[in-house]
């Protein structure tokens, strides 16, 4: 079996031998989102001793860390007399995430160096006209990284090597979920990726440029690496984002910006959407960025859910990864090239591995629409605090 499971404490020290008696591993990596997973274990005493609050779980695949992060539900134990499906000591289900979930637990402080009680009422944290990677690294560093206030630092979190990813953009944020802001910057600044990875006794946060692998990472019935797929294409929900800056006094000083996808409009027709901006002008491109993000969220979604099979020539995690652009050849003759949004690993010592890859636009996600609505509302409520 190519998969092993290890438990570490919060200081990344391994707590014992690789876990035995595990089954039904289910772990999903997500592009610019925290990954998550579950695994069922036989409740041997040595296993239970490792499932302590604050400990972490490592999923190792082919000798490399596939996912590593905190156990959010370290013990969900069950036992029943006379139940032949349960081993004698019972079973325990563990819910875990990757280390990006720890970063997701923070919000953006307008003045990250100041105490919470010293924050000013109308201050935004604004970073203008610089690379998307630099902005994301700065936001993470000053809110939860080694550059943050001591009480806000995530233990062992450091910044990874600079990758030179992304284009110039800007951001203005206040009390937003940190990862929501990072995703907004990543999208506006060249659709780059960010992630955490464990390296020795450090958790490294870094950015990267997804690769265009459409010529080499191909899935089709003929290649034998595509078992099933579902394909759906819909019209865009917005082609013209009409962004309005903050109205301070009702005068004509309020700034209005239009961001349009003319190609989509010529194909599908014009679809307008009002976007409530956060700034009085577009000096730093904030309103334009808001419109760009809105267009990306409402782009004509291609929802492509595939069940792929690793082969000797093409394997998830080795030959392609999150955010990379790959090609799916449909049996109808149509070829679709889009981004890898998630990679789902299911494993059992008895039946082996089963890998599912989700490819498509931002709409091709398993998140319900309500999640997107809550994120949008959270961002807008933070902005309303300054009006």
């Amino acid at each position: 079996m190519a998969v092993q499971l290890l438990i570490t404490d919060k200081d990344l020290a391994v707590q014992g031998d690789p876990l035995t008696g595990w089954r039904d591993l289910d772990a999903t990596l997500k592009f610019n989102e925290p990954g998550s997973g579950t695994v069922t274990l036989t409740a041997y005493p040595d296993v239970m001793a490792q499932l302590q609050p604050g400990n972490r779980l490592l999923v190792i695949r082919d000798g490399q860390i596939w996912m590593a992060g905190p156990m959010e539900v370290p013990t969900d134990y069950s036992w029943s007399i006379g139940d032949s499906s349960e081993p004698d000591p019972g079973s325990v289900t563990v819910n875990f995430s990757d280390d990006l979930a720890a970063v997701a637990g923070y919000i953006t402080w307008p003045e990250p160096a100041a105490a919470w009680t010293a924050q000013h009422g109308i201050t935004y944290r604004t970073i203008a006209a610089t690379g998307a990677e630099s902005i994301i690294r700065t936001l993470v560093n000053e809110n939860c990284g080694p550059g943050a206030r001591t009480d806000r630092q995530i233990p062992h979190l450091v910044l990874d090597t600079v990758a030179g990813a992304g284009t110039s953009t800007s951001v203005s944020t206040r009390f937003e979920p940190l990862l929501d802001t990072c995703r907004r910057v990543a999208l506006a600044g060249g659709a780059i990726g960010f992630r955490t990875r464990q390296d020795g006794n450090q958790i490294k946060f870094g950015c990267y440029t997804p690769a265009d692998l459409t010529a080499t990472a191909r899935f089709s019935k003929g290649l034998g690496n595509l078992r099933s797929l579902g394909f759906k294409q819909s019209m865009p929900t917005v082609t013209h984002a009409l962004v309005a800056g903050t109205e301070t006094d009702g005068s004509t000083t309020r700034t209005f910006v239009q961001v349009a996808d003319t190609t989509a409009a010529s194909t599908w027709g014009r679809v307008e959407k009002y976007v409530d901006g956060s700034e009085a002008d577009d000096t730093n491109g904030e309103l334009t960025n808001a419109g760009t993000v809105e267009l990306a969220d409402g782009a004509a979604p291609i929802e492509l859910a595939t069940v792929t099979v690793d082969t000797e020539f093409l394997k998830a995690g080795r030959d392609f990864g999150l955010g990379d652009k790959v090609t799916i050849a449909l049996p109808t003759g149509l070829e679709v090239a889009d981004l890898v949004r998630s990679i789902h690993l299911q494993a059992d010592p008895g039946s082996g591995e089963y890998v599912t890859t989700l490819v498509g636009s931002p709409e091709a996600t398993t998140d319900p629409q309500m999640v997107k609505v809550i994120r949008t509302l959270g961002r807008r409520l933070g902005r309303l605090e300054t009006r």
Side-chain angles (χ1 to χ4, degrees), residues 35 37 39 46 48-49 51 107 114 134 147 153 157 171 174 189 215 235 241 267 283 285 299 307 331 358 375 378 380:
V39 64
D46 62 318
M48 298 298 291
L51 303 182
I107 64 173
S134 177
Q153 293 178 8
L157 180 68
V171 71
R174 167 183 169 83
M235 71 176 294
T267 301
T283 303
V307 175
L358 183 68
R375 286 177 178 164
R380 292 177 178 173

Side-chain angles (χ1 to χ4, degrees), residues 92-115:
V92 58
T93 299
V94 176
N95 290 11
F96 59 95
S97 62
D98 67 20
D99 287 309
L100 200 58
V103 180
Y106 287 74
I107 64 173
T108 57
W109 285 21
E111 298 168 276

Side-chain angles (χ1 to χ4, degrees), residues 340-363:
V340 175
R341 295 289 169 182
S342 67
I343 302 173
H344 183 193
L345 169 66
Q346 294 173 293
D348 186 279
S351 57
E353 301 176 2
Y354 190 61
V355 178
T356 303
T357 302
L358 183 68
V359 179
S361 71
E363 289 293 324

